[in-house]
Amino acid sequence: MGALSAGGELNLILSIIILSIAAILGDTVNYHIGKYIGPKIFNKESSRLFNKKTFN
């Protein structure tokens, strides 16, 4: 995207705005996914990824 903006194919300011919005939305969506799924994974007794015996 930077090369296209530098070559004049894309508007630099518009690219910065779009990338900033995408970063903020991506962070927010990932936070809410983790907030929903995280407790289910960590509180499960027989989780393959997070086995409680491994952390003791």
Side-chain angles (χ1 to χ4, degrees), residues 14-31:
L14 182 61
S15 299
I16 291 171
I17 292 170
I18 290 172
L19 289 175
S20 298
I21 291 171
I24 293 168
L25 287 176
D27 182 53
T28 303
V29 168
N30 285 326
Y31 170 79

Side-chain angles (χ1 to χ4, degrees), residues 3-48:
L4 291 175
S5 292
E9 299 292 326
L10 291 175
N11 185 352
L12 180 61
I13 302 300
L14 182 61
S15 299
I16 291 171
I17 292 170
I18 290 172
L19 289 175
S20 298
I21 291 171
I24 293 168
L25 287 176
D27 182 53
T28 303
V29 168
N30 285 326
Y31 170 79
H32 287 290
I33 289 172
K35 183 178 168 185
Y36 177 74
I37 294 176
K40 292 181 180 182
I41 292 174
F42 285 110
N43 293 332
K44 191 174 181 181
E45 290 294 326
S46 61
S47 175
R48 288 185 179 188

